[in-house]
Structures are given as structure tokens and as C-alpha cells.
């Protein structure tokens, strides 16, 4: 059901008239995800500015049996923040309070609407750093990153978002507020709600704030872009870097087709004079210059055909661009199917070799673009040239990954995009436990319906 006039008036009473959006032209941008593959519809966007307002909205929606789609920076890539028919969009971007850094504990508290870039800047202003980083840092929000357990470029060094969470504040689907933001590093008092809510994709509660652990700020950084003529050698090099280079902070794998596309899309020169099939970008960082250590490890790697090493900031950024610009470059080709699979480290080369054939067999003529976080076994499979609704290609890639012992999502989450394949990665007993938790914390199923778990209770059970 769409929001009635009366419901809109009650939402206005909670957040103020200017924060209940009903103009379809304004609402349109809240109804499509970044990829453009998932398009929803909604009559109303409500923009609370405090946890109390969120609690009032959830309680009102529960009483009126109205569903809510939760949204932060709308940078998700699995359709998890796209409203199904009848849902209101609850945008958390106005929850922008951020505490000073507690310099003693190395922590801060950030509202759901604070961007990742703002957390990073606040941490750095106090001599600390935030361990999570990814390309959409300027728009992606703390709430969204907690809800999806965002990963990104530094997981091999600092872990995912869940690993940074010391505490959380959230409004459950019951309307109850759970707040545990005291920041105790050791607090062994029962169920760890931050871990449960993190990665629950807004299906259990609305994250309104997070207490985040910071990491030491590293002032010295070196980046090496390595070219390989053999994918297996590039993958093997990741293992060597991980074991031999304590200062390793990123290991990113990408391929000739993606680099050529990035260069074409953004007018960049190719990184090396000669073409190479595979590239590995490794970054080392610390409080002392990691150049000597990185160079020694690079010299010991087998199969490096070309290398560029950079210490100064602008050259480092140039090398990173070949990797970070992949997402936007692929978007210029068409609407991509984005499959963020993960496989065991030992299976990554086999997966990379097999996936283009699997894509072509399920959708002839479609193009495959691969890149990813090699240190985590996480390959981003992007497929263009397949209609948005064509799901055979998704299924074929996800089955290939799980057949090799992998998972259907490394970091983007299940969202709407992979909900029908959850059982490839989770057992019936696990899915039954998920449903029981959902029933307990969101008994009327008003939060993010259709995301993560199918709305049909029989499906996947
Ligand atoms: C990345 O690693 O760049 C992000 O996960 C975005 C993407 O997969 O396109
Ligand atoms: Zn990624």
C-alpha cells in the first residue's frame, strides 16, 4: 500500500514537513541503485534526523503495516536499498553527527549518515586512521557500510566493517532502541548485537550510529603495479606477498581488458609499453618507509614481467586509478550484472580461467570483466551485454564459485540480486535460523522486505 495522506501527515509530524518527500521527480533518485539494474518505486521518502525520530517512524509503520526500505548513500551494488512496491524509503543521510576521536582508546562514534570519507578525515585529524576504505567512500555512509558489512581495499590488513565495530545503536523492527556505544574493548556479556546487525542488510533493525575502532595512522606508503604474463603466477604472488611482507596493506588483481577499458574511458596512458594479461597492485604501508621491504619481496616473485613502483602521492594515485576506475569504466559499457564472489585462495586462478566460458555459455555475446581483492580471494565478476532481467548468467557464475568451495557474496551482500541463490551458500538449518532471528527482531516483516530472505516463507526453506 502507498502512504496515505494521513500517514504522510504523521510522518511530517515526526520529521518536519520538508523532510517528507513526495515529488516523484525528487523520489526517483532514491528508487534506483547505483548499477541501474534494480529499479523500484515509492510514493514517499522520509528523512529522520535522530534515533528517536527513526524509532517513531518504525513504530508508526509497524502499527500501520507499512514496509520501509532503508537507505544510506545508495551506493550498494546488490539492490538492497531499492524499494519494492508499497515501501516507504527511510533515508538515514541526515544522521550526520560524529564524535571527537577518543585518542586514548582510538575510537569514535558516527551517525548512520556520516560518510566513510568523513570518518577517515576525522580519524586522521587526531592522528589515527579508519581501517575500511573503498572507492565510493565520498558517498557511502556508516549506516550502509555497517548494514552490508562493507569490505573494500584493506580487508587483508584490518578486516571488514564488522571487525571495526565496538558498539552499535539501532532501532529494531519492533520499534525498540538498542544502544551500546560505550566503547569497551572487552565486554563479554551475551549476544553481540553489533555482529548480528552488521551484514543483516537492514532486515533486523535500522542502524542509527556505530562506535568504530580506529587503527594507527601510517604515514609511509608505497605502491607497486606488477604485470604478469600468466594469471596463475599473479595469484601465486599474492600468497608470497602475504607471507613475506608484514607491511602489505592491499593486493588487487585485474586484467588486460579492464585496464584497456579504463584507459579508453578516462584517457589514461597504458601502464606499460608492452601488453600483459594480468596485473597485481600491491601496497605496503607503515610508520617507517616500506620501500626496501616491498622491493625485496617484488624481486623474489616469480613471473613479474614489468613493474612500476611509486612512493610519492600523485604517482601512487595514478597507479591506483588503473584499479579503482574499473567500476565507473564498466558502467560506461552498459548495465552490469555484478557478482562479488569469493573462492578459496587456491581456487582463484581456476575460477578466473573458467568464468568467461561459463558466462558465454549462459549468455552468448555477453562480456566478462574481472577484477578484485586478490588478498581476500574476492573476484568481482561484472557482466555487460546481458539484459538486466537475465538471471541464468548470475546463476552460472554463482554455481561456479560455490562449486569451487566459494561464497556467492564476498562483500556486497545478498540484497535483491542474489536472494534466490542464498541456499548455494547457506544450509537449510542456517536459513531457518536466519528466519527465526528475523521473526524475533522484526516480527511483522516491515524492514527491507524481499532483501536477503525471500518474502515467501516457503522459498529456500
Ligand atoms: C570495488 O571493489 O571496486 C567495489 O566492490 C565496487 C565494484 O565491485 O564495482
Ligand atoms: Zn570490492
Amino acid at each position: 500500500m502507498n502512504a496515505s495522506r494521513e500517514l504522510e501527515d504523521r510522518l511530517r509530524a515526526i520529521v518536519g514537513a520538508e523532510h517528507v518527500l513526495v515529488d516523484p521527480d525528487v523520489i526517483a533518485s532514491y528508487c534506483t541503485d547505483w548499477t541501474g539494474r534494480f529499479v523500484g518505486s515509492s510514493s514517499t521518502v522520509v528523512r529522520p534526523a535522530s534515533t528517536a525520530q527513526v524509532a517513531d517512524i518504525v513504530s508508526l509503520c509497524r502499527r500501520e503495516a507499512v514496509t520501509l526500505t532503508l537507505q544510506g548513500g545508495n551506493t550498494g551494488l546488490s539492490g538492497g536499498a531499492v524499494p519494492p512496491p508499497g515501501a516507504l524509503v527511510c533515508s538515514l543521510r541526515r544522521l550526520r553527527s560524529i564524535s571527537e576521536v577518543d585518542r586514548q582508546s582510538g575510537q569514535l562514534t558516527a551517525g548512520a549518515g556520516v560518510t566513510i570519507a568523513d570518518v577517515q578525515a576525522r580519524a586522521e585529524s587526531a592522528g589515527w586512521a579508519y581501517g575500511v576504505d573503498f572507492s565510493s567512500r565520498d558517498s557511502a555512509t556508516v549506516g550502509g557500510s555497517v548494514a552490508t558489512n562493507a569490505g573494500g581495499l584493506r580487508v587483508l590488513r584490518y578486516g571488514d566493517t564488522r571487525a571495526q565495530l565496538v558498539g552499535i545503536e539501532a532501532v529494531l523492527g519492533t520499534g525498540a532502541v538498542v544502544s551500546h556505544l560505550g566503547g569497551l574493548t572487552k565486554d563479554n556479556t551475551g549476544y553481540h548485537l553489533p555482529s548480528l546487525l552488521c551484514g543483516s542488510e537492514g532486515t533486523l533493525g535500522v542502524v542509527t550510529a556505530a562506535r568504530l575502532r580506529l587503527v594507527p595512522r601510517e604515514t609511509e606508503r608505497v605502491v607497486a603495479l606488477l604485470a604478469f604474463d600468466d594469471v596463475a603466477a599473479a595469484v601465486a604472488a599474492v600468497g608470497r606477498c602475504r607471507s613475506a611482507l608484514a607491511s602489505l596493506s592491499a593486493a588487487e588483481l585485474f586484467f588486460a581488458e579492464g585496464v584497456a577499458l579504463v584507459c579508453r574511458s578516462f584517457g589514461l596512458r597504458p601502464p606499460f609499453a608492452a601488453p600483459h594479461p594480468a596485473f597485481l597492485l600491491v601496497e605496503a604501508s607503515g610508520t617507517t618507509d616500506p620501500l626496501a621491504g616491498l622491493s625485496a619481496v617484488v624481486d623474489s616473485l616469480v613471473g613479474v614481467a614489468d613493474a612500476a613502483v611509486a612512493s610519492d602521492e600523485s604517482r601512487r594515485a595514478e597507479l591506483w586509478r588503473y584499479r579503482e576506475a574499473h567500476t565507473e569504466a564498466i558502467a560506461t559499457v552498459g548495465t552490469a550484472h555484478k557478482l562479488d564472489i569469493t573462492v578459496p585462495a587456491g581456487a582463484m586462478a581456476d575460477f578466473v580461467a573458467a568464468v568467461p566460458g561459463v558466462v558465454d555459455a549462459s549468455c552468448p555475446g555477453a562480456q566478462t570483466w574481472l577484477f578484485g581483492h586478490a588478498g581476500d580471494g574476492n573476484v568481482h565478476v561484472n557482466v555487460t551485454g546481458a539484459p538486466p532481467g537475465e538471471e541464468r548468467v548470475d546463476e552460472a557464475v554463482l554455481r561456479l564459485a560455490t562449486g569451487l568451495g566459494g561464497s556467492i557474496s564476498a562483500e556486497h551482500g545478498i540484497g535483491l540480486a542474489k536472494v534466490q541463490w542464498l541456499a548455494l551458500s547457506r544450509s537449510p538449518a542456517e536459513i531457518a535460523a536466519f528466519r527465526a532471528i528475523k521473526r524475533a527482531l522484526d516480527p511483522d516483516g516491515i524492514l527491507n522486505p524481499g532483501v536477503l530472505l525471500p518474502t515467501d516463507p516457503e522459498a529456500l526453506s
Side-chain angles (χ1 to χ4, degrees):
M1 137 185 139
N2 283 339
S4 64
R5 278 278 162 78
E6 197 190 328
L7 183 74
E8 283 169 12
D9 284 343
R10 285 156 80 183
L11 291 169
R12 286 187 188 98
I14 295 170
V15 297
E18 68 274 39
H19 297 298
V20 178
L21 312 180
V22 294
D23 177 342
D25 291 338
V26 177
I27 288 176
S29 70
Y30 292 84
C31 293
T32 307
D33 79 337
W34 191 91
T35 66
R37 184 176 175 201
F38 298 96
V39 182
S41 65
S42 182
S43 61
T44 314
V45 176
V46 59
R47 303 177 71 240
S50 68
T51 301
Q53 290 183 359
V54 174
D56 286 349
I57 292 166
V58 171
S59 298
L60 172 63
C61 287
R62 190 174 178 208
R63 278 198 307 276
E64 300 298 322
V66 172
T67 56
L68 279 167
T69 289
L70 311 173
Q71 197 174 97
N74 201 13
T75 57
L77 298 170
S78 299
V82 171
L88 307 186
V89 175
C90 180
S91 167
L92 284 309
R93 278 183 238 176
R94 291 181 66 223
L95 277 79
R96 289 192 52 85
S97 70
I98 182 164
S99 74
E100 292 303 321
V101 172
D102 177 337
R103 289 169 191 255
Q104 185 70 18
S105 65
Q107 296 178 3
L108 60 74
T109 299
V114 175
T115 65
I116 300 305
D118 284 343
V119 172
Q120 293 170 343
R122 176 59 57 98
E124 281 172 29
S125 71
W128 289 84
Y130 184 47
V132 171
D133 190 28
F134 43 81
S135 328
S136 56
R137 59 186 75 80
D138 292 322
S139 319
T141 59
V142 166
S145 71
V146 171
T148 57
N149 185 26
L153 304 168
R154 308 264 186 265
V155 170
L156 68 83
R157 178 70 162 261
Y158 302 117
D160 53 19
T161 297
R162 187 175 283 130
Q164 325 306 318
L165 266 186
V166 189
I168 206 167
E169 181 172 87
V171 179
L172 304 179
T174 56
V177 176
V178 288
S179 186
H180 204 78
L181 296 169
L184 295 176
T185 304
K186 297 181 99 170
D187 185 5
N188 203 4
T189 50
Y191 301 140
H192 195 243
L193 294 178
S195 295
L196 176 63
L197 291 167
C198 185
S200 66
E201 301 188 39
T203 60
L204 304 178
V206 188
V207 175
T208 54
R211 183 77 177 168
L212 299 171
R213 168 182 296 125
L214 305 177
V215 297
R217 179 157 176 245
E218 299 186 317
T219 47
E220 310 297 320
R221 216 165 271 279
V222 182
V223 172
L225 180 60
L226 311 174
F228 292 82
D229 290 331
D230 172 37
V231 173
V235 170
V238 178
R240 166 86 188 135
C241 290
R242 293 192 67 200
S243 66
L245 193 58
S247 56
L248 185 71
S249 51
E252 298 286 314
L253 183 67
F254 42 102
F255 299 94
E257 302 75 21
V259 170
L261 178 65
V262 165
C263 291
R264 272 201 310 281
S265 307
F266 301 109
L268 307 185
R269 276 209 306 266
F272 301 109
H276 300 285
F279 299 87
L280 187 63
L281 182 146
V282 290
E283 184 186 79
S285 56
T287 48
T288 56
D289 188 356
L291 179 60
L294 177 71
S295 302
V297 172
V298 167
D299 288 347
S300 75
L301 298 176
V302 176
V304 178
D306 244 324
V309 179
S311 288
D312 71 284
E313 194 174 348
S314 70
R315 181 67 182 137
R316 285 197 325 253
E318 278 173 26
L319 296 181
W320 263 112
R321 187 119 197 262
Y322 293 114
R323 160 61 181 90
E324 285 211 274
H326 268 66
T327 301
E328 284 183 58
I330 292 164
T332 66
V333 180
T335 301
H337 292 229
K338 297 183 85 72
L339 302 157
D340 66 308
I341 67 87
T342 183
V343 288
M348 201 158 41
D350 287 347
F351 179 82
V352 166
V355 75
V358 164
V359 167
D360 200 58
S362 57
C363 188
Q367 262 181 302
T368 307
W369 310 92
L370 302 176
F371 61 97
H373 314 290
D376 314 326
N378 174 188
V379 182
H380 289 309
V381 181
N382 286 243
V383 178
T384 54
E390 166 58 84
E391 288 170 341
R392 277 172 301 193
V393 70
D394 303 54
E395 178 160 346
V397 173
L398 300 179
R399 283 190 185 280
L400 176 66
T402 53
L404 290 167
S407 160
I408 64 171
S409 178
E411 59 176 10
H412 295 169
I414 299 299
L416 300 175
K418 303 174 208 111
V419 75
Q420 60 181 302
W421 299 294
L422 183 62
L424 288 179
S425 279
R426 293 297 193 169
S427 68
E430 285 176 306
I431 293 171
F434 285 6
R435 287 201 187 284
I437 294 167
K438 171 78 175 168
R439 276 194 301 274
L441 301 191
D442 180 19
D444 298 315
I446 60 163
L447 299 181
N448 274 11
V451 169
L452 181 54
L453 290 164
T455 28
D456 171 6
E458 295 307 312
L460 299 183
S461 57

